[in-house]
């Protein structure tokens, strides 16, 4: 099976992952995705196509704005996949890795105690995260390694500039 077909198949099922978690069948059925490798290989483009199945425009978080709190807010705002583009710095953070690990199989990705009261804030883990970046982030936590599927894009997948421009102009059903 090709890499792109695998990614698209996963995008089709991701909006239903929260239901799977509620039914208690999350183990190995709701993993996130990490698409990594060479630049200009179509990692982000194939992710955008996955959104277009649902006539959704992907809300890209990128490296310049990613924080743990913005990631948690995004994961709790929709059941559609959450794309974190160029997310090497974000994914290389232990707190982020722990949050993802918890949110993959549980209904909540983060629980925070309020300093000024006895309230506990729980952030739902509705969405499945999809990360793209140009390097291989070493994941040292075996629990997280089991909860994400890593797909490598190499130099054989590089898309030439003309094809990339054509794709951007003609493929988005939301701009037609």
């Amino acid at each position: 099976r090709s890499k792109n077909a695998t990614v698209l198949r996963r995008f089709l099922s991701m909006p239903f992952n929260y239901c799977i978690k509620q039914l208690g069948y999350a183990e190995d059925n709701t993993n996130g995705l990490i698409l990594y490798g060479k630049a200009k290989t179509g990692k982000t483009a194939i992710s955008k196509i996955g959104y277009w199945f649902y006539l959704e425009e992907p809300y890209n978080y990128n490296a310049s704005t990613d924080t743990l709190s913005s990631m948690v807010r995004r994961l709790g705002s929709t059941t559609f996949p959450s794309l974190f583009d160029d997310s090497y710095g974000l994914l290389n953070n232990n707190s982020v890795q722990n949050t993802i690990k918890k949110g993959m199989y549980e209904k909540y990705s983060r629980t925070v105690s309020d300093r000024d009261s006895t309230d506990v804030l729980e952030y739902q883990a509705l969405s499945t995260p999809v990360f793209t970046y140009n390097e291989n982030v070493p994941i040292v936590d075996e629990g997280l390694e089991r909860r994400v599927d890593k797909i490598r894009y190499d130099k054989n997948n590089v898309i030439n500039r003309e094809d990339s421009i054509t794709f951007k102009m003609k493929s988005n059903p939301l701009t037609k």
Side-chain angles (χ1 to χ4, degrees):
R1 204 180 305 177
S2 81
K3 295 172 188 178
N4 292 338
T6 299
V7 171
L8 293 177
R9 180 182 57 81
R10 293 291 307 285
F11 263 85
L12 282 170
S13 67
M14 282 181 183
F16 305 100
N17 283 353
Y18 190 69
C19 295
I20 293 169
K21 285 191 241 183
Q22 286 180 316
L23 294 172
Y25 300 118
E27 289 282 328
D28 301 322
N29 292 314
T30 59
N31 285 1
L33 276 177
I34 294 178
L35 310 178
Y36 72 97
K38 292 279 186 191
K40 306 293 181 197
T41 53
K43 299 178 295 292
T44 302
I46 196 67
S47 299
K48 288 181 178 180
I49 292 172
Y51 282 97
W52 297 336
F53 285 133
Y54 302 100
L55 297 178
E56 279 281 314
E57 190 63 50
Y59 186 88
N60 270 17
Y61 282 87
N62 61 32
S64 63
T65 59
D66 281 343
T67 63
L68 177 60
S69 59
S70 69
M71 184 191 78
V72 169
R73 275 194 305 275
R74 175 61 184 167
L75 293 175
S77 67
T78 180
T79 60
F80 289 106
S82 293
L83 176 60
F84 299 94
D85 198 20
D86 294 327
S87 56
Y88 178 83
L90 179 67
L91 197 58
N92 205 16
N93 177 311
N94 286 338
S95 295
V96 169
Q97 289 188 10
N98 288 333
T99 300
I100 295 165
K101 185 171 69 172
K102 181 177 182 192
M104 293 313 306
Y105 297 161
E106 297 179 25
K107 293 182 231 175
Y108 297 95
S109 62
R110 191 170 186 212
T111 305
V112 179
S113 298
D114 188 348
R115 289 185 297 198
D116 300 327
S117 71
T118 58
D119 294 342
V120 174
L121 304 172
E122 293 184 309
Y123 294 90
Q124 288 187 312
L126 300 175
S127 182
T128 303
V130 177
F131 299 94
T132 69
Y133 49 84
N134 295 335
E135 301 177 46
N136 185 11
V137 174
I139 298 177
V140 294
D141 187 312
E142 290 179 17
L144 179 59
E145 187 78 42
R146 286 191 312 271
R147 290 168 172 88
V148 293
D149 297 327
K150 293 172 73 174
I151 299 177
R152 183 176 183 266
Y153 284 73
D154 55 28
K155 64 182 178 183
N156 296 330
N157 303 107
V158 174
I159 300 168
N160 69 44
R161 183 169 166 74
E162 290 174 8
D163 289 345
S164 176
I165 291 169
T166 302
F167 170 81
K168 288 176 184 173
M169 289 174 43
K170 294 185 176 182
S171 60
N172 185 344
L174 301 176
T175 60
K176 294 181 180 182

